[in-house]
Amino acid sequence: QVQLAESGGGLVQAGESLRLSCTASGITSSSYHIGWFRQAPGKEREFVAVVSRTSHTYYADSVKGRFTISRGNAKNTVDLQMDTLKPEDTAVYYCAASRAVLSSIRDSNMYNYWGQGTQVTISS
């Protein structure tokens, strides 16, 4: 069966860094767009970053210049390096996989598989 699993969340102070990892099983992750989304309490889920199946990267304006998405060195992993974290980055972070067309790559509704989420909390 297809499974995605996130790791690396935690509680850190503003200005610090975290590195999240998404590990896929049951699929070859290089054949999918792998995206990161986040959802804060009372807020709708929002796009954060994605690496396409052709390995192009795209970012939300709110994280551009601070976050970096990459296909990891470990087999079937995608990492999200988060630097200069801000309290407004606090959310549950999810990774997801999609084979949708490139024009829909930021749309969470186009993702077929989702991880369980990992909590990221940034204190001020």
Side-chain angles (χ1 to χ4, degrees):
Q1 64 178 5
V2 176
Q3 288 189 337
L4 302 177
E6 304 93 339
S7 63
L11 192 157
V12 297
Q13 292 183 302
E16 296 183 346
S17 298
L18 284 172
R19 188 174 183 88
L20 307 183
S21 293
C22 174
T23 301
S25 61
I27 60 169
T28 300
S29 62
S30 60
S31 296
Y32 289 77
H33 315 308
I34 305 296
W36 286 93
F37 297 81
R38 66 188 183 187
Q39 188 165 25
K43 304 290 186 180
E44 68 180 17
R45 185 171 296 178
E46 66 173 338
F47 167 77
V48 177
V50 61
V51 56
S52 78
R53 58 189 175 92
T54 56
S55 294
H56 290 91
T57 58
Y58 304 87
Y59 298 91
D61 288 343
S62 60
V63 307
K64 189 174 295 183
R66 299 189 297 119
F67 291 11
T68 304
I69 190 169
S70 61
R71 295 191 181 275
N73 293 326
K75 183 180 179 181
N76 258 4
T77 61
V78 172
D79 298 330
L80 184 69
Q81 177 68 40
M82 306 187 296
D83 296 324
T84 319
L85 284 160
K86 303 175 180 180
E88 52 262 44
D89 295 318
T90 295
V92 176
Y93 283 69
Y94 300 88
C95 67
S98 174
R99 301 193 74 172
V101 296
L102 185 61
S103 61
S104 300
I105 203 167
R106 297 173 179 84
D107 185 354
S108 64
N109 295 130
M110 297 297 178
Y111 283 73
N112 305 94
Y113 307 109
W114 291 83
Q116 82 289 347
T118 186
Q119 178 70 49
V120 171
T121 303
I122 314 303
S123 62
S124 60

